[in-house]
Amino acid sequence: MLAILHPDTPLDSEEYRHTMHFLENLPNVSLRVHEVQGEKQRLTEIYLLGDTKTLDKDEIAALPAVERVIRISEDYRILGRHRDDQRQSGFQYNGVQFGQDNLHVFAGLCAVDVPEHVEMMMQALEQHGQVCTRMGAYKPRTNPYSFQGHGKGCLPWVFEKAGKHGIKVIAMEITHESHIEEIDTCLEKLGRPTGVMLQVGTRNTQNFELLKAIGRQSTYPVLLKRGFGITLNESLNAAEYLASEGNANVVFCLRGMKTEAGNPHRNMVDFAHVPVVKRLTRMPVCIDPSHSVGSREHAPDGILDVMHATAQGVIAGANMVLVDFHPKPEKALVDGPQALLMEELSAYLDDVQLCHETWQKRQALYNRIRIGF
Ligand code: PEP
Ligand code: MN
């Protein structure tokens, strides 16, 4: 069971003391207090764990500091929506708001290669008013002899360039918990010119020890990718590992499923699950059309499959787009063939905006006739 307190309830108020006294004395029930800092207000959520079946929901709802009470299921205790459409979603990080209603594009290099390409990418992003990017420093590769990423060696110049071009958040995959400290130490040394969203790749979705380590820190939010060969429920449970350890600032990323049925795409595009994840959880939902489609093939309409897939996800309400770009794809060390080009950035961003606005219009359209559900 979950008791949500009135927004901004002071922790030293009489209402709070009275409420906590009552809850702390419930037999066989333990409490877990979770603070959610939203854009405008701070919410305190109190999870009641243990013997809660016989508790009187109305009695708890009547406590002075309690706004409402939700019965929660076993699945996704913290990140789950539990059929409550009003629950606050998302979080703020380094001045950027992530939620289930807005949208950010993270266009950038699949893998950091040379300073010149990083510079060109970030400059283009700044020119287009973008404050987020993707930059891979630690690359999980299928083949042990393939380029593994520059690792911590490239962090100083990548972070410096990000700061110079006003980039506030970099999605950066980590494959080992020691990478958190490498990133943190480097950012600290440089005076935190930018921020990092720690990305967990599809190969590590169920690397529970890595998830627990990332979940134990709350300095950096997390972008968790769906596992390529497991159920959606299993991937959402993986996200809950992060929250159960203390970090609920998680964005969930759909990136396609590995199956022959997806051919000729690299993965079977699964963006019809955007609304499903939003219904089941409070996480903002990201789509990765590059790793889903995996090529620069286009239809006779002159639009690349990557762009069509992006449109499908955004029109369904996606909140973040992780997409590969490269100034010279033929020189890219990883995933060059699927990268979009600098000269496509402007149209791509316009297309994303168009689709996001269309999603908003679709919402208005259906909310007008919404009856009884
Ligand atoms: C990536 O985003 O660079 C990546 C490796 O993606 P995924 O984990 O989805 O394969
Ligand atoms: Mn890649």
Side-chain angles (χ1 to χ4, degrees):
M1 193 177 272
L2 168 63
I4 300 177
L5 304 193
H6 294 290
D8 297 319
T9 299
L11 302 186
D12 56 0
S13 62
E14 187 44 41
E15 287 83 358
Y16 184 80
R17 260 197 298 272
H18 179 106
T19 300
M20 288 309 279
H21 180 75
F22 180 89
L23 296 176
E24 277 163 357
N25 285 294
L26 290 170
N28 304 321
V29 170
S30 62
L31 305 183
R32 194 143 161 185
V33 181
H34 187 75
E35 297 279 341
V36 190
Q37 184 59 55
E39 203 172 358
K40 298 191 192 88
Q41 58 191 24
R42 180 182 53 84
L43 269 190
T44 304
E45 301 182 335
I46 301 175
Y47 289 83
L48 286 78
L49 308 175
D51 208 354
T52 60
K53 287 217 168 54
T54 54
L55 293 182
D56 182 350
K57 190 176 163 191
D58 294 336
E59 191 179 15
I60 293 170
L63 292 168
V66 175
E67 186 181 74
R68 59 210 169 86
V69 176
I70 304 169
R71 276 212 182 270
I72 55 176
S73 47
E74 280 304 301
D75 273 347
Y76 338 129
R77 271 189 196 165
I78 298 171
L79 293 174
R81 187 164 274 293
H82 308 296
R83 300 188 173 279
D84 181 347
D85 290 349
Q86 295 167 48
R87 287 194 79 190
Q88 185 165 305
S89 75
F91 54 91
Q92 185 157 20
Y93 173 64
N94 208 23
V96 183
Q97 184 67 31
F98 293 89
Q100 285 192 335
D101 290 320
N102 67 0
L103 175 71
H104 298 288
V105 178
F106 282 60
L109 307 185
C110 177
V112 169
D113 42 33
V114 294
E116 185 199 356
H117 295 155
V118 171
E119 178 70 27
M120 284 162 90
M121 186 72 234
M122 290 187 179
Q123 199 172 17
L125 291 172
E126 186 179 20
Q127 278 163 2
H128 287 88
Q130 300 296 300
V131 294
C132 301
T133 188
R134 61 157 294 150
M135 287 287 153
Y138 308 94
K139 298 303 300 177
R141 304 304 303 280
T142 305
N143 185 333
Y145 306 112
S146 302
F147 173 63
Q148 304 283 310
H150 288 310
K152 71 172 179 184
C154 70
L155 299 181
W157 52 268
V158 170
F159 293 160
E160 261 168 11
K161 284 184 187 301
K164 176 177 142 199
H165 292 292
I167 299 290
K168 295 187 180 303
V169 189
I170 304 176
M172 182 175 275
E173 176 164 1
I174 63 163
T175 54
H176 191 270
E177 63 172 287
S178 59
H179 300 156
I180 307 171
E181 205 184 318
E182 290 179 7
I183 289 170
D184 191 58
T185 306
C186 182
L187 281 174
E188 188 62 32
K189 215 181 209 167
L190 297 172
R192 302 204 176 264
T194 187
V196 168
M197 183 182 280
L198 301 173
Q199 184 177 322
V200 178
T202 194
R203 296 159 180 85
N204 275 318
T205 309
Q206 286 189 314
N207 182 342
F208 300 119
E209 295 310 314
L210 179 63
L211 295 176
K212 284 192 232 168
I214 297 176
R216 281 194 291 270
Q217 62 77 43
S218 44
T219 310
Y220 304 102
V222 190
L223 178 65
L224 179 77
K225 289 216 169 175
R226 175 184 196 164
F228 60 77
I230 56 177
T231 64
L232 183 64
N233 170 271
E234 285 163 340
S235 290
L236 297 178
N237 268 305
E240 184 71 14
Y241 261 90
L242 297 157
S244 74
E245 292 290 328
N247 190 347
N249 293 349
V250 186
V251 178
F252 188 80
C253 182
L254 297 169
R255 47 82 69 205
M257 302 299 292
K258 191 168 180 155
T259 151
E260 292 297 314
N263 287 345
H265 288 162
R266 183 171 172 177
N267 290 289
M268 183 78 173
V269 182
D270 55 351
F271 299 166
H273 278 170
V274 168
V276 179
V277 178
K278 289 168 89 169
R279 173 175 81 236
L280 294 175
T281 78
R282 301 181 292 145
M283 290 184 277
V285 182
C286 176
I287 53 163
D288 178 342
S290 302
H291 290 82
S292 295
V293 170
S295 78
R296 284 186 51 81
E297 293 293 345
H298 66 276
D301 59 14
I303 303 175
L304 302 189
D305 291 12
V306 171
M307 296 160 178
H308 274 302
T310 306
Q312 288 159 13
V314 175
I315 224 163
N319 309 111
M320 178 170 156
V321 180
L322 193 72
V323 57
D324 290 2
F325 269 76
H326 202 286
K328 291 187 188 135
E330 67 287 357
K331 294 209 170 144
L333 297 176
V334 185
D335 284 347
Q338 71 190 25
L340 300 184
L341 312 173
M342 288 304 113
E343 49 274 31
E344 290 166 336
L345 181 62
S346 187
Y348 185 81
L349 292 172
D350 286 351
D351 188 12
V352 167
Q353 191 52 33
L354 201 69
C355 293
H356 184 58
E357 284 164 15
T358 302
W359 169 70
Q360 287 167 329
K361 285 184 191 155
R362 292 179 60 226
Q363 229 182 329
L365 204 65
Y366 289 112
N367 282 344
R368 233 181 283 143
I369 55 158
R370 187 151 141 166
I371 22 172
F373 67 83

